[in-house]
Amino acid sequence: MTNILQDITKNFSGLFGSKKGGSVIGVDIGSSSIKIVQLKNDNGVAVLETYGSVSLGTYVENSYIGQAVNPTHDQTIQAIKDILKEANITSLNSAVAIPSASSLVFLLELPKAITQKDLATIVPTEARRFIPVPISEVSLDWWMIPEDDVLEGNDDAPAEILGNKNDKRKVLVAAIHNEALARFQQVVKDAQFNADFFEIEMFSNVRSCVGSKRETVALVDFGASKTKVSVVSRGVIQDFHIINRGSQDITRVLSTGLNISLSKAEEFKKKFGMAPNDEYSDAESIIRGSLEYVMSEINAIILAYEKKYGQSIDSVMVTGGGASLIGLVEYMQQKLPASVIKSNPFSQVKVPVFLESVLEEIGSDFGVAIGLALRKLSS
Ligand SMILES: Nc1ncnc2c1ncn2[C@@H]1O[C@H](COP(=O)(O)OP(=O)(O)OP(=O)(O)O)[C@@H](O)[C@H]1O
Ligand SMILES: [Mg+2]
């Protein structure tokens, strides 16, 4: 077991302390598309140099753009090379995301007297309860949650939680299947990247979308295959869930319901979303129906969090390619008990003026890639 991830939740503060020049890239290999951004550090300010993405459906036979696919290693490398070329990316100093689905993240509650040194022996033993495969098949990393980041100062927390705080220490643990790690290491090697760290995508996403906001936010990443929910309080991830439905399920349901091909359904979804249209009057109710399950899961996550921590969720922030669905934010607002907002992962990055409006529209696709590049810039 190696601590290959190193410092999985780098502090948010002082991100741009370093004055080092040079450009870096953040690489997000998602299930439907690869996204890369290149940033540089300009006197302590992160500046966007270029960005690009490709749909993996273009490289895999019998698939459509927007679909979650399983490309071969060579197809993945080809797709990366195409982005580097098309987006004119000049840096190979990269940080690469590990999909949440290839990892397991959980909280351990350990005796308060525990020291950093003890963790190396205690975490692997305690983690066995949470990991469904032999412990030798995973790489582990961990991070002790600072006490004042948990519930300190929260006068609304129930007594038993505050009591708990006094004799327990929370440790966030991440486990990654070695096979998945090896696969990503091979990609880095064959794409000729100089990568010095991998990071599980949820941490990257939280860094760019939530940053150091003090309030409690449920960040919902609508990917193609999965919807990922991280609950973040005072900049620290407290809870994480994967819902096994994604934006491609909307496309599938639309294709069946409207009796059109998958690629036409995908096109329709992106063009009209839940907005009124002249062609298919049923489309909006079909999309609503396909989102019901995800909404009930998000509701359950919010309720369970509020019950466990005695702390309400201030806002639900949507991100990922699927967050661009027209009408989604308004629909979610009707279904969920907190205010719903769209993420703007470029908010911590200086972008050229002519790109501002484009990035507002497509920016949420790049949350993971930006979060990685921000951390890489500061390292
Ligand atoms: N304008 C849009 N309206 C609706 N859906 C959209 C829009 N743009 C992209 N999508 C959908 O977003 C999904 C892709 O999102 P994203 O790139 O975040 O997924 P991914 O990272 O590849 O997947 P995952 O995170 O599940 O591995 C696709 O299913 C696509 O159809
Ligand atoms: Mg994704």
Side-chain angles (χ1 to χ4, degrees):
M1 264 174 307
T2 45
N3 277 8
I4 195 100
L5 292 171
Q6 297 168 21
D7 190 12
I8 49 173
T9 51
K10 186 122 186 160
N11 262 338
F12 295 117
S13 54
L15 256 183
F16 310 124
S18 123
K19 290 266 188 301
K20 272 183 293 177
S23 304
V24 301
I25 56 174
V27 182
D28 172 16
I29 305 173
S31 62
S32 73
S33 68
I34 302 183
K35 284 111 349 201
I36 304 184
V37 296
Q38 179 171 320
L39 304 184
K40 74 166 180 199
N41 181 349
D42 185 5
N43 279 320
V45 177
V47 178
L48 175 68
E49 289 192 308
T50 181
Y51 66 94
S53 66
V54 291
S55 208
L56 288 164
T58 325
Y59 297 82
V60 178
E61 256 178 65
N62 299 324
S63 51
Y64 61 91
I65 288 174
Q67 185 182 359
V69 288
N70 284 314
T72 63
H73 176 72
D74 291 347
Q75 286 166 335
T76 304
I77 298 296
Q78 189 56 50
I80 291 174
K81 289 193 168 150
D82 289 345
I83 304 180
L84 297 182
K85 196 161 158 228
E86 279 161 35
N88 203 8
I89 285 167
T90 52
S91 171
L92 293 176
N93 289 323
S94 64
V96 179
I98 301 280
S100 306
S102 305
S103 61
L104 201 60
V105 176
F106 49 90
L107 272 178
L108 286 179
E109 289 200 343
L110 299 174
K112 188 163 177 152
I114 215 102
T115 64
Q116 283 287 356
K117 213 165 136 238
D118 299 331
L119 290 178
T121 45
I122 291 178
V123 170
T125 314
E126 289 290 313
R128 276 172 218 271
R129 287 190 288 131
F130 294 85
I131 299 173
V133 296
I135 202 95
S136 57
E137 289 179 18
V138 300
S139 297
L140 289 175
D141 200 0
W142 51 85
W143 188 64
M144 223 188 245
I145 294 185
E147 270 174 294
D148 61 346
D149 272 328
V150 184
L151 284 164
E152 197 104 316
N154 177 9
D155 299 335
D156 302 333
E160 67 270 24
I161 294 179
L162 290 172
N164 193 15
K165 184 191 91 183
N166 293 329
D167 56 357
K168 294 277 188 226
R169 199 64 209 261
K170 291 195 174 175
V171 178
L172 192 65
V173 182
I176 296 183
H177 212 279
N178 289 334
E179 259 173 45
L181 206 50
R183 209 169 61 235
F184 281 90
Q185 281 165 332
Q186 195 59 44
V187 168
V188 162
K189 185 161 173 264
D190 293 342
Q192 296 174 334
F193 290 153
N194 314 312
D196 65 3
F197 68 86
F198 293 95
E199 181 172 68
I200 301 172
E201 58 178 340
M202 58 194 266
F203 295 105
S204 324
N205 233 341
V206 165
R207 184 175 306 110
S208 63
C209 297
V210 184
S212 53
K213 273 197 185 70
R214 301 297 288 168
E215 58 260 46
T216 305
V217 179
L219 180 67
V220 181
D221 175 2
F222 284 100
S225 58
K226 296 186 164 54
T227 303
K228 288 136 282 185
V229 185
S230 314
V231 183
V232 188
S233 187
R234 296 163 194 233
V236 176
I237 295 178
Q238 303 280 348
D239 200 7
F240 177 73
H241 298 268
I242 296 182
I243 304 168
N244 266 325
R245 297 275 167 87
S247 187
Q248 70 173 1
D249 294 297
I250 301 178
T251 306
R252 281 204 194 118
V253 174
L254 271 178
S255 160
T256 320
L258 302 177
N259 198 19
I260 55 177
S261 69
L262 285 163
S263 37
K264 180 131 197 263
E266 175 76 10
E267 228 173 85
F268 179 90
K269 177 182 81 173
K270 285 188 180 147
K271 190 163 174 205
F272 294 105
M274 299 167 92
N277 72 94
D278 294 336
E279 218 173 336
Y280 300 108
S281 53
D282 292 347
E284 195 211 341
S285 66
I286 293 175
I287 295 180
R288 278 176 173 269
S290 76
L291 283 167
E292 287 283 325
Y293 174 75
V294 175
M295 292 307 126
S296 69
E297 289 291 297
I298 296 174
N299 249 316
I301 292 167
I302 293 176
L303 289 177
Y305 178 88
E306 293 184 343
K307 190 164 172 226
K308 183 167 174 202
Y309 291 89
Q311 202 182 33
S312 60
I313 289 187
D314 301 307
S315 56
V316 174
M317 186 186 277
V318 292
T319 193
S324 298
L325 184 83
I326 296 168
L328 179 71
V329 170
E330 296 76 8
Y331 166 78
M332 288 178 71
Q333 194 59 78
Q334 292 165 9
K335 296 279 171 180
L336 302 176
S339 67
V340 181
I341 46 177
K342 196 171 169 203
S343 74
N344 177 11
F346 283 93
S347 64
Q348 299 174 55
V349 177
K350 193 170 161 206
V351 302
V353 175
F354 73 96
L355 279 180
E356 273 171 7
S357 57
V358 182
L359 293 179
E360 228 159 77
E361 230 166 83
I362 62 155
S364 65
D365 296 21
F366 289 91
V368 173
I370 295 167
L372 286 161
L374 284 174
R375 176 172 161 193
K376 177 88 182 170
L377 261 194
S378 72
S379 62

